Amino acid sequence: MASFIVLLTAVLPLMAKCFLFNGPNWNNLRVTWGMNPFNYNNYATMPRTEQDAILKGFVMKSNCNATRNFVGKRYWKDEDPSVMLLYDVNGYIAGIQIGIAKGLKTGSGDNYPFQQQINAPFVDDGDLYIITAYFTDPATVCTIGRTESDFRTHGTGNVLHIQNGTLPTDVITAPTHEKDLTSTEWTEGKCFPSMELW
Ligand SMILES: *[C@@H]1O[C@H](CO)[C@@H](O)[C@H](O)[C@H]1NC(C)=O
Ligand SMILES: *[C@@H]1O[C@H](CO)[C@@H](O)[C@H](O)[C@H]1NC(C)=O
């Protein structure tokens, strides 16, 4: 759990504390926290519809139901696995993945991810290990998807599920309100001040 939180704070910093829901509509999706909020690459806004993703140069890496290991139409840009976006059958954002190329070593020469993290949460996927988070119910992503009205009401999503196993039904559901974190294993990460800007 600790390494999980470290990972999320390092790579998906807008999740956890920095990423709580202000009102009913979660109206953006940004990735890549950086020290300088004015740097173009930091807090990059990600496309929340498949149509917009295509316009922004993302291409489909795999279609819905291509594997049992996750759900969603998966898009990436410039074949960069560090941010891969998942859309439902209707083209609305459903989740996000981070892919780590196999063969990565830590500074001390150990394989990363560590053996005990393989398949929960880092799922073996070809030449990558992937970690997946969903913003909607995974059961609907490749079946009915969201309607335009769902998307208008919820925005990016209405839940935060982090897949911790080889199937999209194996999820950890993050509380959406900080007050619900008490008596859970979630702990406060060490954020830099600018992590809380958004
Ligand atoms: C994730 O799954 C692993 C393997 O089943 C388990 O040991 C671990 O406790 C799970 N993590 C959480 C936060 O539930
Ligand atoms: C994906 O598989 C589910 C379950 O078999 C099926 O109901 C659904 O129609 C499939 N979706 C697509 C887009 O093929």
Side-chain angles (χ1 to χ4, degrees):
M1 189 71 193
S3 58
F4 213 31
I5 290 186
V6 168
L7 177 94
L8 287 176
T9 355
V11 195
L12 283 183
L14 302 183
M15 297 192 156
K17 181 176 177 189
C18 321
F19 178 76
L20 294 175
F21 302 70
N22 300 318
N25 198 330
W26 174 3
N27 64 5
N28 62 20
L29 178 62
R30 292 172 189 255
V31 299
T32 314
W33 170 80
M35 289 291 278
N36 177 2
F38 303 104
N39 178 316
Y40 175 78
N41 290 312
N42 296 339
Y43 307 105
T45 298
M46 293 292 113
R48 298 184 305 147
T49 63
E50 182 180 13
Q51 203 178 7
D52 193 25
I54 292 167
L55 285 174
K56 301 228 160 83
F58 283 76
V59 297
M60 193 189 278
K61 176 165 165 59
S62 54
N63 210 335
C64 252
N65 290 345
T67 157
R68 295 176 68 234
N69 292 149
F70 65 90
V71 286
K73 296 193 243 183
R74 174 164 68 173
Y75 278 75
W76 62 351
K77 191 172 181 182
D78 304 329
E79 305 200 346
D80 178 358
S82 56
V83 175
M84 300 186 286
L85 300 170
L86 302 174
Y87 298 91
D88 71 19
V89 283
N90 300 327
Y92 295 110
I93 189 76
I96 193 167
Q97 281 184 339
I98 294 164
I100 295 178
K102 286 186 180 170
L104 185 70
K105 304 270 185 202
T106 65
S108 43
D110 297 319
N111 290 321
Y112 189 81
F114 304 123
Q115 190 55 43
Q116 66 272 23
Q117 300 171 318
I118 306 293
N119 288 326
F122 292 96
V123 175
D124 190 323
D125 181 52
D127 50 8
L128 299 174
Y129 290 112
I130 53 171
I131 182 165
T132 307
Y134 301 101
F135 311 139
T136 68
D137 180 0
T140 63
V141 173
C142 286
T143 54
I144 55 171
R146 288 198 287 168
T147 62
E148 191 187 341
S149 139
D150 292 336
F151 182 62
R152 233 184 287 122
T153 312
H154 299 144
T156 307
N158 61 335
V159 288
L160 178 57
H161 294 302
I162 298 154
Q163 189 171 322
N164 187 38
T166 54
L167 296 175
T169 43
D170 301 331
V171 293
I172 299 164
T173 302
T176 50
H177 292 101
E178 189 173 9
K179 65 176 166 52
D180 300 328
L181 292 169
T182 43
S183 77
T184 71
E185 288 182 74
W186 293 90
T187 58
E188 187 164 357
K190 291 185 175 30
C191 296
F192 280 87
S194 67
M195 279 187 177
E196 298 181 57
L197 270 181
W198 303 97

